[in-house]
Amino acid sequence: MRGTRPFQTACNPHMWRYRASGPATTVRIEVADSFGRSPAETMTRPKAFHIRMR
């Protein structure tokens, strides 16, 4: 069908946003899962956009 979404959108606990203090601020993102793992990534801003973004 045209004009329909393939899935229903809603707010959920794994969606988040963060307002940085400035456009060139470095942001460290760290999450904890239910298995005790805490992967982290540092995002240098401004972040270049690419077709294969992570």
Side-chain angles (χ1 to χ4, degrees):
M1 294 179 77
R2 188 173 180 175
T4 60
R5 294 180 177 161
F7 57 90
Q8 185 175 4
T9 59
C11 288
N12 51 54
H14 70 272
M15 303 286 276
W16 53 271
R17 71 175 145 182
Y18 174 79
R19 185 179 300 251
S21 60
T25 306
T26 299
V27 178
R28 179 174 169 79
I29 303 160
E30 185 172 351
V31 297
D33 66 14
S34 58
F35 301 104
R37 296 177 294 210
S38 326
E41 179 178 335
T42 300
M43 185 176 87
T44 304
R45 299 182 53 213
K47 187 169 183 171
F49 288 101
H50 189 273
I51 194 166
R52 294 182 184 211
M53 288 189 74
R54 286 183 49 197

